[in-house]
Amino acid sequence: MPEVTLVEAVNLALARAMEDDPDVVVLGEDVGINGGVFRATVGLQTRFGPERVLDTPLAELLISGLCVGMAAQGMKPVGEIQFMGFLYPCIDQLVNHASRFRNRTQGRLTCPMVLRTPHGAGIRAPEHHSESTEAMLAHIPGLRVVIPSSPERAYGLLLAAIRDPDPVVFLEPTRIYRAAKGEVEDNGEALPLDVAFVLREGRDVTLISWGAMLKETMAAADTLAADGIAAEVIDLATLKPYDEITVLGSIAKTGRCVIVHEATRTGGFGAEIAALIAERALTSLLAPVARVTGYDTVIPMARLEQHMMPSVDRIVTAARKACQFS
Amino acid sequence: MASKKLSGGGLPVIARFEVRHRNYLAPDGSINRPLPAFASDTNLLTALYRAMLLLRNFDRKAVALQRTGRLGTYAVSLGQEAVSVGVASAMREEDVLLPSYRDNGALIWRGVKLEEILLFWGGDERGNCFSGPVEDFPFCVPVGSQAPHAAGVAYAFKLRKQPRVAVCMFGDGATSKGDVYEAMNFAGVHKLPVVFVATNNQWAISVPLRLQTGCETLAQKAVAAGFIGEQVDGSDVVAMRAAAEDAIAAAREGRGPRFIEAVTYRLGDHTTSDDALRYRSADEVQARWKEEPIARLRNYLVSQKMWSKAEEEQLAAECHERVEAAVECYLATEPRRPETMFDHLYAELPETYAAQRRQLAGEGDA
């Protein structure tokens, strides 16, 4: 099997989806001849033509609104927003239309669209290019929010997102677009949505994360293993709706939990998981649930951004503390 | 039109634009210019009249229901019946309507049942699962946000080479939103089969048109998007039907989008939650009553011997009966069971929300 980067896996999945289904349309700013600012759509326009790989005017609200209209006609639009910081004009369409279309028409009309956008900091980008506001999206009823953390999962989950009959926001971890490499078989097989992936089994502490932060989380698990602490690592992958069963099952086994996310702490998705554990697994807990997150600041520009993002050390420290709690 | 004010000294003019205004029937029902061919069809003209009168009767009843606590907030069409009826009458069934919340007349023309509209305003999503063309969009409440959908629908038509047209209706306030411009701009780029209809009823709740835009017309907003914008007397149903017919035909033939500014007047409050006397005078409204669309068409029909007093009386009785039957049906509709709020959340309900559904149904303690 060929080894590909995460962004190449995205490209493979898009091409496969377009090949399999003539209703799949890719649209966004610079997705055509330029192949997208991160090259996720490279080569698609040559292969599928400018009507199905559509360079839109510079208007994010429009991109999301067009997707709603096309999807209501039974097409499968896949919109690209260049950076998550530019996603906000789409929120009106996501909250007021895409996510509730099926519900408000009682199933008469549906909205099988996908909106893709890079997610997160760590690429020394300008302001507004480093956002990780997934919790805001995960709060929207009727939406699916998916974040892959490897090329294999980017390929399989994006195919699943495109085939899903409901709207999906697909957040692609910018920092590991090219850093993450893996073997991906372009066999058209989707991975399941709404399901967490256990990347590493362990009995002492559960580490839960998603997207690019799994890189640090896995590294922390390695360090902990050297100390004799067996960490179980869960890639949540779908944040809305999320896999409560896998989370609770792991806590029942380990009794300790550290949640790791790059997004700011207050109201972050880690709070949701901590609340779930408090409600449903309190008697399993041997230590308080810990969160290792971005700080409650604006995401700093390049010179300071690495200080905001959780480090391997911060994760290891939190996990050790949880394990030492008596 | 704006060029006369903005012309610069001595520089060459590289582009000039004009906005036309369309009107056939004067406020008293007399003719300003030769009518379009369809106006010789008595059945069609009387059908437009019947639809407008039904809508007015329906409106009156809906307001009464709201005042007596049997309906939620309702947006009346009073005074602007010619817009939605005229536009819808020019559409084919296979076209797709994307209405705003005040376009009841268009929905009714396209086959939506009165009781379904009451259900929507009565707070029941089943009202949006209406009869009528199955691909028509539900009422859009966030102003103008349906315009990009119309462009998306039209793009799908174009891609699939279907000779269909998307018709998007919104108010004057919506033309101030980026949504509408973004959609029109894209439609212009790709020459999409879409017609945008702005009902300029002079007021966006309490904000008058002069505070909404510095433009002389709303129709000229199409110029920036690269297609024709036309101003139409929105209280003249013949003009509305003719303009919509032209625009829809052009769109269907691949000649690209059109924009229609329907100039009319909202004689009623914005909704039943509004009191328009706070921001505009009774005198202003009274004066506008002289221009309203129903009397205008009736005067014409009567003058042409196309309509009689007996027919008027019969129609009044029919409207009353239809509206009362719809109200009865609406009031007799049992509420949905609470847990059904989950039933169309996703194609398949994820287990975590299925647990919440069971809790609401009293079947568990999720």
Side-chain angles (χ1 to χ4, degrees):
Chain A
M1 275 187 294
E3 189 167 82
V4 297
T5 64
L6 196 152
V7 72
E8 286 166 346
V10 167
N11 184 265
L12 279 179
L14 290 172
R16 168 64 63 172
M18 295 192 82
E19 191 70 52
D20 290 351
D21 183 352
D23 281 332
V24 176
V25 171
V26 167
L27 64 153
E29 296 156 15
D30 304 302
V31 299
I33 191 164
N34 200 34
V37 289
F38 287 102
R39 307 290 175 260
T41 56
V42 77
L44 297 180
Q45 194 179 61
T46 312
R47 198 163 152 196
F48 299 104
E51 288 193 320
R52 288 184 66 201
V53 183
L54 172 67
D55 272 324
T56 65
L58 206 162
E60 286 81 9
L61 183 162
L62 173 78
I63 294 167
S64 54
L66 283 174
C67 286
V68 173
M70 289 186 209
Q73 278 295 308
M75 304 208 73
K76 294 279 201 169
V78 184
E80 175 178 304
I81 303 300
Q82 292 188 336
F83 291 89
M84 198 168 183
F86 308 149
L87 178 81
Y88 306 115
C90 308
I91 294 295
D92 185 20
Q93 288 292 332
L94 291 173
V95 176
N96 283 324
H97 294 296
S99 63
R100 56 195 288 167
F101 224 62
R102 178 187 292 281
N103 186 263
R104 69 195 267 246
T105 62
Q106 297 291 287
R108 181 171 63 83
L109 293 171
T110 62
C111 193
M113 64 178 270
V114 176
L115 200 61
R116 300 174 35 245
T117 190
H119 167 270
I123 59 161
R124 303 184 68 79
E127 259 196 297
H128 308 290
H129 288 63
S130 308
E131 314 300 299
S132 50
T133 37
E134 65 270 19
M136 181 179 72
L137 298 167
H139 195 60
I140 303 172
L143 207 61
R144 274 195 163 75
V145 179
V146 178
I147 311 182
S149 66
S150 72
E152 182 201 4
R153 285 186 289 284
Y155 179 84
L157 292 173
L158 182 53
L159 279 180
I162 295 170
R163 292 170 191 168
D164 191 82
D166 291 308
V168 179
V169 179
F170 196 79
L171 302 174
E172 297 167 3
T174 325
R175 187 157 56 87
I176 57 168
Y177 252 154
R178 293 196 172 76
K181 292 194 179 83
E183 290 185 347
V184 173
E185 191 181 353
D186 182 15
N187 56 7
E189 279 181 24
L191 286 169
L193 301 176
D194 311 352
V195 169
F197 298 88
V198 179
L199 302 188
R200 179 177 181 133
E201 294 199 22
R203 64 184 182 283
D204 296 328
V205 59
T206 301
L207 308 181
I208 301 174
S209 192
W210 47 90
M213 278 320 301
L214 275 158
K215 191 177 168 207
E216 284 72 18
T217 305
M218 288 295 277
D222 285 342
T223 305
L224 291 165
D227 285 0
I229 296 173
E232 179 142 302
V233 178
I234 295 177
D235 173 4
L236 208 56
T238 303
L239 266 60
K240 175 82 173 185
Y242 72 105
D243 182 353
E244 298 179 352
I245 292 166
T246 296
V247 169
L248 293 172
S250 183
I251 302 309
K253 183 164 69 171
T254 65
R256 296 177 170 90
C257 183
V258 178
I259 304 155
V260 184
H261 62 66
E262 192 180 305
T264 54
R265 170 169 297 218
T266 305
F269 201 72
E272 163 59 36
I273 300 169
L276 172 83
I277 294 169
E279 284 176 352
R280 306 266 294 275
L282 187 65
T283 54
S284 302
L285 283 181
L286 303 169
V289 174
R291 286 180 288 164
V292 180
T293 70
Y295 297 106
D296 278 325
T297 71
V298 173
I299 299 163
M301 287 167 68
R303 291 186 177 192
L304 291 182
E305 67 178 336
Q306 73 273 23
H307 297 289
M308 194 236 186
M309 292 153 56
S311 62
V312 175
D313 278 354
R314 279 172 65 196
I315 301 166
V316 167
T317 303
R320 279 190 185 133
K321 200 172 156 193
C323 290
Q324 287 157 6
F325 190 90
S326 53
Chain B
M1 295 202 42
S3 61
K4 71 188 174 197
K5 284 181 187 167
L6 302 175
S7 59
L11 299 175
V13 174
I14 60 158
R16 220 183 272 282
F17 305 97
E18 55 186 24
V19 174
R20 293 173 189 273
H21 179 89
R22 191 193 297 243
N23 163 258
Y24 300 97
L25 297 181
D28 65 0
S30 61
I31 299 171
N32 283 331
R33 47 189 283 250
L35 299 187
F38 71 79
S40 57
D41 181 344
T42 305
N43 285 338
L44 175 56
L45 278 198
T46 53
L48 297 174
Y49 181 72
R50 287 168 180 277
M52 290 198 294
L53 201 76
L54 176 66
L55 177 57
R56 188 162 292 183
N57 276 265
F58 178 74
D59 258 349
R60 194 180 300 131
K61 187 69 186 186
V63 172
L65 288 173
Q66 191 277 335
R67 298 289 186 238
T68 50
R70 291 175 294 171
L71 194 72
T73 300
Y74 176 78
V76 289
S77 299
L78 188 65
Q80 49 191 79
E81 292 89 347
V83 180
S84 55
V85 169
V87 169
S89 76
M91 294 175 67
R92 289 188 191 162
E93 186 174 347
E94 67 267 27
D95 296 336
V96 165
L97 176 73
L98 298 99
S100 83
Y101 49 79
R102 205 189 298 284
D103 296 313
N104 289 326
L107 270 70
I108 296 168
W109 183 280
R110 284 177 70 72
V112 176
K113 293 178 181 165
L114 302 182
E115 54 266 36
E116 291 168 334
I117 296 174
L118 290 173
L119 264 183
F120 172 78
W121 293 104
D124 191 321
E125 285 84 355
R126 286 174 296 182
N128 271 334
C129 188
F130 49 58
S131 315
V134 73
E135 292 170 29
D136 278 7
F137 275 50
F139 290 116
C140 186
V141 173
V143 168
S145 59
Q146 76 276 36
H149 306 164
V153 168
Y155 192 82
F157 292 163
K158 190 181 172 190
L159 206 59
R160 290 168 163 174
K161 303 189 185 345
Q162 297 172 334
R164 305 167 70 189
V165 179
V167 176
C168 184
M169 304 185 71
F170 43 78
D172 43 286
T175 64
S176 301
K177 286 195 69 179
D179 310 37
V180 170
Y181 174 70
E182 290 184 25
M184 285 171 56
N185 180 54
F186 180 79
V189 168
H190 291 280
K191 302 212 174 335
L192 298 183
V194 54
V195 176
F196 300 99
V197 181
T199 304
N200 175 3
N201 68 11
Q202 312 303 322
W203 293 91
I205 308 190
S206 68
V207 176
L209 193 70
R210 69 186 156 75
L211 295 181
Q212 197 66 245
T213 177
C215 289
E216 277 178 86
T217 69
L218 297 179
Q220 74 203 58
K221 297 202 171 199
V223 172
F227 51 90
I228 296 171
E230 180 184 13
Q231 193 178 72
V232 180
D233 185 332
S235 303
D236 172 2
V237 74
V238 175
M240 279 311 304
R241 157 101 188 185
E245 226 173 41
D246 287 354
I248 290 169
R252 200 183 312 282
E253 289 161 14
R255 286 185 280 140
R258 292 275 186 96
F259 181 89
I260 294 171
E261 175 191 1
V263 182
T264 181
Y265 193 84
R266 162 162 59 80
L267 290 169
D269 297 326
H270 166 66
T271 65
T272 50
S273 301
D274 175 45
D275 174 11
L277 286 172
R278 286 171 60 87
Y279 51 83
R280 65 185 192 188
S281 72
D283 287 350
E284 175 186 317
V285 178
Q286 201 52 43
R288 293 289 193 150
W289 266 100
K290 297 192 179 81
E291 299 172 8
E292 66 95 5
I294 293 181
R296 187 184 300 212
L297 182 59
R298 181 169 55 230
N299 288 341
Y300 173 73
L301 291 172
V302 169
S303 75
Q304 299 299 305
K305 310 270 186 281
M306 289 168 141
W307 192 247
S308 67
K309 197 174 174 191
E311 284 169 305
E312 181 74 19
E313 281 168 8
Q314 196 190 341
L315 176 60
E318 276 171 26
C319 287
H320 178 76
E321 202 175 309
R322 234 184 113 178
V323 171
E324 289 303 320
V327 170
E328 201 173 311
C329 179
Y330 157 65
L331 293 175
T333 304
E334 291 290 327
R336 293 189 292 153
R337 290 194 316 282
E339 66 273 21
T340 62
M341 70 174 73
F342 283 97
D343 287 356
H344 298 283
L345 192 59
Y346 295 90
E348 195 177 332
L349 193 62
E351 174 50 32
T352 180
Y353 309 127
Q356 292 181 22
R357 188 187 189 281
R358 288 192 293 273
Q359 181 186 23
L360 186 53
E363 294 165 1
D365 52 0

